């Protein structure tokens, strides 16, 4: 089912409906006549003068609005109490704001209802129009509602980064952003549909001098993640008032929302004199166009409901000793990202950030069930209010068959180094756990006690068979201290008297992810996982993405899987209220080679635990200027199809 609806069907329905006295389609009115009023239209006793054709007409909740010229006097409808421009009112005496009010007032049934109302009796069913609130009351209620929303936003949203705008950043550099459909774990990631350029929406009209909040129709000119560049209808090729807006925000609605919500549609002041018949213009422009589904805002709200709650207890990797897990408590949930505080932290400063679908968190009892090392808490009793997170909330891994040929201790492979995510390193399986989990160590830099071993599942996209880097022209980081360069797997296996893990045991699935080189996104700095940064996809090797943090040097790049829950569409931070880290300014870039570089390294090493040399340091120490040589292999794969991308193992 498409996530946009065809307005042609909407138009046909409108055409089948009655037209009002001025030949306008109710389906495109910003508010249609009240059905209770139309029921007594044949009882009208008062002739209604036609509205001047020079004024563009927009209807609202039974009233007809024209764009005020600033000179007309004001009038109050004697039927419903609506306050408006006098020239826009009906009847020769300008006593009523609409046809329905004029006819309702003149009908005997309505007169009886008014009399009953004055006598303190409940109004009849036909007098439903009398229950309408005056404009002043509506505005007061709406202002209170807006103030409530603003207060909620202030308490929820992070302080925006001063000076950075995704819209300006994309426009000034002609960037493209990864579509929302690339991020299945993000809000609307699985139900975004075919929202694209050309889709029409109703948005607030900021080019207006009216004291009330009014709306107008705009079309999507460009899409960047959740953000859309919008242009008001009627501006044609004029981009002077184009503006960026988050499609999932509270101020964007499908066409027809104003009609059902009783909100006025008013053309922007800049083009108000461009057309004399805005009704006909809109019908012509919207016929055959697409808009958001009517339940779009509901879907957004539902997709931002997260099952993890504060005070839930989980098992999570110990950031100071990667080989073990610890108990932590959910302190806060923002956009599906969890701030976990280790249970023994009295001042709640010893924390760890990760997404709720991260492979680093598990239900209580997971470590024991698979044989993983676990640090017992000094707290022997659960604190009041804390409770174990249900096991079904956690991301499930694929079941594996370890009965036949399987991974064994001592087998060699290639793995992304969790302490230096820019590097894929020579690694060894140190222990085989239950349910397909493996403990892996990086050759040449392991601690004697194995405290820097780390756990990957056999289906993890972060481990690769011997030869993966070579055939895909990725720099493989050799063991620290290994001097026989360039590194050759065949020689290394023979020297260490070891064997390579069989290729068939690795995950070779390549999903149709939709990423392309150069796409912008928001990505977690996994060396400092509380930070979400402006980032770019710079390489694609099947399902593996090279993520570059804008404004930082390449040595801070990170290899990330295309389905990582730590990648988000442009506009995710704004939507969820998370703080976005902008690109490093030019001054910071110039000084990265000195103090700022060391500062970032120090932070990353401190956060993850053990200090470790970066790939750049290793390269300088081991190669002394030499470059690695590779076999002729496949170039970066931007096609998303599955492929056999592993090199054959040498005998």
């Amino acid at each position: 089912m498409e996530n946009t609806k065809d307005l042609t069907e909407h138009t046909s329905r409108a055409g089948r409906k009655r037209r009002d006295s001025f030949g306008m389609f109710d389906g495109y009115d910003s508010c249609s006549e009240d059905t209770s009023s139309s029921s007594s239209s044949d009882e009208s006793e008062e002739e209604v003068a036609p509205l001047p054709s020079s004024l563009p007409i927009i209807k609202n909740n039974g009233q007809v609005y024209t764009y005020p010229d600033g000179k007309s006097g004001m009038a109050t409808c004697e039927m419903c109490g609506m306050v408006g421009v006098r020239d826009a009112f009906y009847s020769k005496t300008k006593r009523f704001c609409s046809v329905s009010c004029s006819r309702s007032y003149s009908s005997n049934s309505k007169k009886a209802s008014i009399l009953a109302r004055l006598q303190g009796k409940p109004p009849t069913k036909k007098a439903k129009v009398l229950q309408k609130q005056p404009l002043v009351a509506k505005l007061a209620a709406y202002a209170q509602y807006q103030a409530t929303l603003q207060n909620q936003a202030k308490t929820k949203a992070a302080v925006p980064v001063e000076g950075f705008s995704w819209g300006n950043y994309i426009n000034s550099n002609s960037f493209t952003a990864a579509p929302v459909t690339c991020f299945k774990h993000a809000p609307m990631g699985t139900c975004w549909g075919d929202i694209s350029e050309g889709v029409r929406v109703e948005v607030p009209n900021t080019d207006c001098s009216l004291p009330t909040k009014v709306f107008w129709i705009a079309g999507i000119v460009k899409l960047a993640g959740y953000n859309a560049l919008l242009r008001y209808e009627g501006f044609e090729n004029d981009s002077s008032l184009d503006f960026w807006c988050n499609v999932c925000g509270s101020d964007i609605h499908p066409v027809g929302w104003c009609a059902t919500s009783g909100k006025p549609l008013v053309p922007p002041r800049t083009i108000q004199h461009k057309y004399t018949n805005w009704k006909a213009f809109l019908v012509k422009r919207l016929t055959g166009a697409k808009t958001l589904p009517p339940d779009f805002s509901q879907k957004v709200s539902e997709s931002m409901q997260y099952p993890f709650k504060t005070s839930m207890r989980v098992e999570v990797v110990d950031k100071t000793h990667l080989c073990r897990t610890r108990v932590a408590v959910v302190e806060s949930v923002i956009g599906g990202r969890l701030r976990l505080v280790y249970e023994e932290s009295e001042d709640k400063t010893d924390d760890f950030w990760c997404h709720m679908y991260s492979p680093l968190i598990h239900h209580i009892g997971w470590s024991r069930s698979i044989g993983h090392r676990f640090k017992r808490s000094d707290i022997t009793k659960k604190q009041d209010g804390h409770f174990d997170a249900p096991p079904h909330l956690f991301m499930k891994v694929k079941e594996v068959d370890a009965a036949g040929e399987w991974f064994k201790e001592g087998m060699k492979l290639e793995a992304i180094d969790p302490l230096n995510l820019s590097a894929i390193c020579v690694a060894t399986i140190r222990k085989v756990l239950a349910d397909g989990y493996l403990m892996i160590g990086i050759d040449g830099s392991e601690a004697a006690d194995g405290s820097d071993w780390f756990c990957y599942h056999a289906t993890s996209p972060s481990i690769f068979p011997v030869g993966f880097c070579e055939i895909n022209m990725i720099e493989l980081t050799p063991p620290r201290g290994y001097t026989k360069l360039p590194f050759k797997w065949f020689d290394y296996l023979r020297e260490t008297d070891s064997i390579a893990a069989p290729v068939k045991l690795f995950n070779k699935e390549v999903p149709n992810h939709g990423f392309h080189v150069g796409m912008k996104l928001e990505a977690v700095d996994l060396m400092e996982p509380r930070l979400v940064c402006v980032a770019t996809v710079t390489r694609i090797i099947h399902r593996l993405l090279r993520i570059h943090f804008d404004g930082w040097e390449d040595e801070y790049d990170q290899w990330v899987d295309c389905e990582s829950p730590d990648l988000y569409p442009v506009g995710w931070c704004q939507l969820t209220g998370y703080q976005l880290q902008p690109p490093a300014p030019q001054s910071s870039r110039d000084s990265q080679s000195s103090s700022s570089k060391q500062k970032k390294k120090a932070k990353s090493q401190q956060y993850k635990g053990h200090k470790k040399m970066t790939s750049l340091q290793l390269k300088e120490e081991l190669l002394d200027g030499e470059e690695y040589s590779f076999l002729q292999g496949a170039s970066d794969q931007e096609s998303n199809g599955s492929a056999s991308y592993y090199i054959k193992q040498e005998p």
Side-chain angles (χ1 to χ4, degrees), residues 348-411:
K348 296 186 177 183
T349 58
D350 191 8
D351 62 359
F352 186 87
W353 280 92
C354 67
H355 192 271
M356 62 183 183
Y357 294 148
S358 170
L360 300 177
I361 61 170
H362 309 277
H363 62 85
I364 299 296
W366 172 84
S367 298
R368 183 177 182 180
S369 67
I370 69 160
H372 194 284
R373 290 175 63 179
F374 175 76
K375 181 186 179 183
R376 294 189 179 278
S377 174
D378 293 337
I379 301 175
T380 57
K381 185 179 180 181
K382 290 183 188 177
Q383 297 184 22
D384 291 342
H386 292 177
F387 58 102
D388 297 350
H392 71 269
L393 298 185
F394 298 86
M395 196 67 176
K396 300 294 186 295
V397 294
K398 290 183 179 180
E399 293 185 4
V400 295
D401 182 13
E405 187 176 10
W406 192 240
F407 293 100
K408 293 181 174 60
E409 291 184 17
M411 283 183 173

Side-chain angles (χ1 to χ4, degrees), residues 128-440:
K128 183 179 179 182
V129 68
L130 291 176
Q131 298 172 16
K132 294 181 181 179
Q133 294 179 325
L135 177 62
V136 175
K138 289 181 179 179
L139 293 179
Y142 184 75
Q144 184 177 3
Y145 172 71
Q146 287 294 102
T148 302
L149 289 182
Q150 290 177 1
N151 289 336
Q152 291 176 349
K154 287 178 181 178
T155 58
K156 178 183 177 182
V159 180
V161 179
E162 186 176 357
F164 179 76
S165 163
W166 263 121
N168 294 338
Y169 191 56
I170 289 174
N171 276 349
S172 59
N173 298 280
S174 299
F175 291 140
T176 58
V180 174
T181 52
C182 290
F183 310 88
K184 305 302 182 187
H185 57 280
M188 300 299 292
T190 57
C191 53
W192 187 252
D194 56 353
I195 297 175
S196 58
E197 296 177 5
V199 168
R200 305 303 207 284
V201 292
E202 292 180 352
V203 293
N205 176 8
T206 57
D207 183 28
C208 180
S209 58
L210 291 176
T212 62
K213 186 175 184 178
V214 296
F215 296 79
W216 190 240
I217 295 172
I220 296 178
V221 177
K222 184 174 183 178
L223 205 58
Y226 292 117
N227 294 345
L229 181 63
L230 300 177
R231 181 174 300 169
Y232 289 123
E233 283 295 336
F235 275 80
E236 307 300 336
N237 296 323
D238 182 2
S239 61
S240 60
L241 287 186
D242 288 3
F243 60 98
W244 286 89
C245 193
N246 195 302
V247 176
C248 295
S250 59
D251 272 337
I252 289 191
H253 309 280
V255 172
W257 176 83
C258 284
T260 58
S261 304
K263 304 297 182 183
L265 277 176
V266 176
R269 178 174 50 184
T270 303
I271 58 170
Q272 62 173 299
H273 301 299
K274 191 173 181 180
Y275 298 96
T276 57
N277 190 341
W278 282 102
K279 179 70 62 178
F281 167 79
L282 288 182
V283 172
K284 181 178 179 180
R285 291 286 294 175
L286 297 178
T287 301
K290 293 180 178 180
T291 187
L292 302 177
D295 60 346
F296 184 76
S297 61
Q298 180 183 347
K299 287 184 177 180
V300 172
S301 177
E302 291 173 352
S303 67
M304 294 181 67
Q305 301 299 315
Y306 308 107
F308 280 86
K309 308 299 179 184
T310 57
S311 299
M312 281 186 173
R313 299 170 75 243
V314 301
E315 288 186 8
V316 64
V317 65
D318 185 342
K319 63 183 181 182
T320 59
H321 294 82
L322 300 185
C323 65
R324 68 187 185 189
T325 57
R326 296 171 61 184
V327 173
V329 179
V330 178
E331 180 69 19
S332 60
V333 183
I334 305 178
R337 293 197 64 78
L338 313 178
R339 179 177 179 258
L340 304 172
V341 175
Y342 290 113
E343 198 170 46
E344 294 174 301
S345 176
E346 296 181 358
D347 57 0
K348 296 186 177 183
T349 58
D350 191 8
D351 62 359
F352 186 87
W353 280 92
C354 67
H355 192 271
M356 62 183 183
Y357 294 148
S358 170
L360 300 177
I361 61 170
H362 309 277
H363 62 85
I364 299 296
W366 172 84
S367 298
R368 183 177 182 180
S369 67
I370 69 160
H372 194 284
R373 290 175 63 179
F374 175 76
K375 181 186 179 183
R376 294 189 179 278
S377 174
D378 293 337
I379 301 175
T380 57
K381 185 179 180 181
K382 290 183 188 177
Q383 297 184 22
D384 291 342
H386 292 177
F387 58 102
D388 297 350
H392 71 269
L393 298 185
F394 298 86
M395 196 67 176
K396 300 294 186 295
V397 294
K398 290 183 179 180
E399 293 185 4
V400 295
D401 182 13
E405 187 176 10
W406 192 240
F407 293 100
K408 293 181 174 60
E409 291 184 17
M411 283 183 173
K412 299 294 183 181
L413 70 163
E414 298 174 3
I416 296 176
D417 184 353
L419 295 180
N420 181 18
L421 294 163
S422 66
I424 299 179
C425 306
V426 173
T428 303
I429 296 174
R430 294 303 179 187
K431 189 176 182 181
V432 179
L433 308 179
D435 297 341
Y437 287 96
L438 310 170
M439 295 303 295
I440 296 172

Side-chain angles (χ1 to χ4, degrees), residues 23-45:
M24 298 172 192
F25 288 102
D26 288 347
Y28 290 100
D29 293 347
S30 56
C31 102
S32 58
E33 286 190 24
D34 189 277
T35 55
S36 64
S37 299
S38 63
S39 64
S40 61
S41 61
D42 56 342
E43 301 175 2
S44 176
E45 298 176 1

